[in-house]
Amino acid sequence: MATPPADLRDWIALLEREGELVRVDTEVDPDLEITEINDRVVKSGGPALLFENVKGSRHPLLINQFGTERRMSMAFGVERLDDIAARLGDLLEMQPPQSLVEKVRGLKKLKSIADSRPRSVRSGPVHDVVLSGDDVDLDLLPIQRCWPGDPAPFITLPAVITKDPRTGVRNVGMYRMQKVDPKTTYMHWQIHKDGRADYLAADGKIEVAVALGLDPVTAYSASAPLPKHIDEFMLAGFLRGEAVELVQAKTVDLEVPANAEIVLEGTIEKDEVGLEGPFGDHTGYYTAPEPFPVFRLSAITMRRDAIYPSIVVGRPPQEDAWLGKATERIFLPAIRMTVPEIVDYDLPVSGAFHNCVIVSIRKSFPGHAQKVMHAIWGLGMLSLSKSVVVVDEWVDVHDYGEVFFTVGANVDPKRDVLLTEGPLDHLDHAPTQQFYGGKIGIDATHKGELEGTREWPELIEMTPEVRALVDRRWSEYGIALPIETNGTSRGRILPGKLRSIRRG
Ligand SMILES: Cc1cc2nc3c(=O)[nH]c(=O)nc-3n(C[C@H](O)[C@H](O)[C@H](O)COP(=O)(O)O)c2cc1C
Ligand SMILES: [Mn+2]
């Protein structure tokens, strides 16, 4: 595994060396123009963009740093996103050691957890420039207005740091911030989020620090759906293999990443809210204006020549698709800890992540698919999923054609569709009532006698012998295929498990 980048500049240098970044020195407008340029680049799988001449600001703007699977993997220093999950899974599956070798290996793993804890340092480049009092001015930054219906510019890629007033445990989250005036923003803390819980637990007011322009893994960690009591910077440290270094902020009692490009410091009063939005959101729709807390800045600190990071969400697919896919992959081992029969899962990007979960399971008893649906509806942020599609272990959940085939072929809508209700995503506009509404579970697994069906037919499969024969002889046939196929994409696991839910 390559070492992940140390800070944003290191990351930009890496992207540039790898041909993954274009510098744009033509003047561009942060009001809508950057969105349209970026949209075309994102949708064509193009490079990260560093706009060096943004109208109205001295600071360059970085966008699309996460916009492809390759860049997202580069951020973590891995070949494929699944490789990150493997490291975490290894840790989660630690058993009491049987031998000395295992003991040593176990200790190494524990050490890697201990080393993941953020480290306090005395100073850092984030304090090269300190602006407080009258000098605090958000107009300095090239904040984007993303979509035509947005009433103001929004800070879109922040790591918002708070402390639980009761326990002192840090929380870091990514929440958009609408600019209200040069010293004020709103804080879009949705109802299910830890950041909001810290705010609600506060007495009178809460201190907040917002880090902008981090190394990519730490930036990612702000979007990770961790349990409330786990510090996101700890996850960042674990995933980077190196602790996040923190310095004391200047005007609030919080620690901030020492090498952030920019930090905004300030407070949020408990009873001060304003009408935030509308905002062109990752659901593909504008979210309606709603009251959200008001963040009043007390300081802005920066590195010299600070680079401002941005992201645009909107109708999927957008850049945030890959932040979501990283979470999907990283959290698979943790999900398997609780629901071990889960083989794999996929959150389709076009489902805006909360609309649909496709999950494959090792089915071993009647109603197993329904058990897994309920497990998902009870699991962290996945609990907000509106639909869950359950398939057998041999179905590739990432192959939507195969999933569609499986649902079409195996579902009796009357028998296999579970309609229920529960909490829904803050941004879901479909339910009659905000936050709560219907859910659908679709059981597309093979059924058996124990579930009261007639004999289930066999899936069509070629024999391994004939496949091997054709593999061997392929060159003799002289057939050039437009796409290389070795005939192994289907039927990797033969549906033999079925027998366990059939009698005998
Ligand atoms: C680009 C992007 C923008 C996001 N904007 C918001 C937002 O405005 N409000 C919000 O509550 N969550 C937003 N999220 C999701 C949160 O960052 C995510 O749920 C995170 O886990 C919240 O952390 P917390 O549970 O510690 O509060 C956003 C995620 C991404 C990737
Ligand atoms: Mn959290």
Side-chain angles (χ1 to χ4, degrees), residues 74-94:
M74 277 169 60
F76 288 98
V78 295
E79 286 291 312
R80 299 176 57 243
L81 291 176
D82 278 312
D83 301 342
I84 320 167
R87 288 176 57 213
L88 207 62
D90 213 28
L91 192 76
L92 290 171
E93 267 152 35
M94 251 176 82

Side-chain angles (χ1 to χ4, degrees), residues 232-282:
E232 282 80 1
F233 284 158
M234 163 115 179
L235 175 71
F238 176 79
L239 293 173
R240 295 170 73 204
E242 202 159 317
V244 177
E245 294 194 337
L246 301 173
V247 284
Q248 184 62 37
K250 292 290 179 186
T251 60
V252 292
D253 182 21
L254 291 167
E255 287 185 301
V256 299
N259 57 19
E261 294 290 320
I262 302 163
V263 166
L264 316 177
E265 303 178 5
T267 51
I268 293 184
E269 297 278 345
K270 240 344 228 315
D271 51 7
E272 191 184 14
V273 292
L275 208 54
E276 200 258 9
F279 178 69
D281 225 315
H282 81 120

Side-chain angles (χ1 to χ4, degrees), residues 39 131 142 168 217 235 301-302 307 343-344 347 433 467 476:
D39 200 50
L131 305 172
V217 175
L235 175 71
T301 77
M302 292 194 254
I307 300 162
V343 174
D344 201 356
L347 309 177
Q433 206 186 316
R467 280 215 215 128
E476 297 174 35

Side-chain angles (χ1 to χ4, degrees), residues 171-176 188 190 193-195 222-225 232 323:
N171 190 70
V172 189
M174 189 176 286
Y175 326 99
R176 70 167 185 247
H188 193 251
Q190 292 168 14
K193 307 302 168 73
D194 298 342
S223 75
E232 282 80 1
L323 289 168

Side-chain angles (χ1 to χ4, degrees), residues 96-108:
Q98 301 290 331
S99 66
L100 187 64
V101 179
E102 278 182 32
K103 244 180 218 163
V104 172
R105 214 177 279 146
L107 283 174
K108 269 196 190 141

Side-chain angles (χ1 to χ4, degrees), residues 196-379:
R196 189 185 196 87
D198 284 354
Y199 156 74
L200 291 178
D203 193 18
K205 64 177 184 185
I206 187 166
E207 295 187 319
V208 179
V210 178
L212 296 163
L214 300 167
D215 72 88
V217 175
T218 308
Y220 157 77
S221 75
S223 75
L226 291 178
K228 172 97 175 62
H229 60 280
I230 300 179
D231 177 358
E232 282 80 1
F233 284 158
M234 163 115 179
L235 175 71
F238 176 79
L239 293 173
R240 295 170 73 204
E242 202 159 317
V244 177
E245 294 194 337
L246 301 173
V247 284
Q248 184 62 37
K250 292 290 179 186
T251 60
V252 292
D253 182 21
L254 291 167
E255 287 185 301
V256 299
N259 57 19
E261 294 290 320
I262 302 163
V263 166
L264 316 177
E265 303 178 5
T267 51
I268 293 184
E269 297 278 345
K270 240 344 228 315
D271 51 7
E272 191 184 14
V273 292
L275 208 54
E276 200 258 9
F279 178 69
D281 225 315
H282 81 120
T283 56
Y285 287 81
Y286 286 102
T287 51
E290 224 186 306
F292 275 96
V294 177
F295 175 51
R296 296 200 177 276
L297 277 70
S298 50
I300 299 182
T301 77
M302 292 194 254
R303 291 177 76 141
R304 253 177 282 287
D305 307 315
I307 300 162
Y308 173 85
S310 194
I311 189 169
V312 172
V313 300
R315 277 171 75 167
Q318 298 286 350
E319 181 184 350
D320 62 320
W322 293 107
L323 289 168
K325 280 290 157 190
T327 290
E328 179 199 288
R329 293 297 92 197
I330 290 170
F331 282 80
L332 177 59
I335 290 169
R336 279 216 199 108
M337 285 288 286
T338 322
V339 195
E341 59 268 49
I342 289 182
V343 174
D344 201 356
Y345 76 133
D346 185 281
L347 309 177
V349 168
S350 48
F353 291 102
H354 58 258
N355 287 332
C356 182
V357 181
I358 303 163
V359 56
S360 58
I361 64 165
R362 249 171 249 111
K363 180 172 176 178
S364 57
F365 51 79
H368 205 157
Q370 287 73 8
K371 182 237 180 198
V372 170
M373 291 170 196
H374 287 108
I376 286 175
W377 286 323
L379 210 60

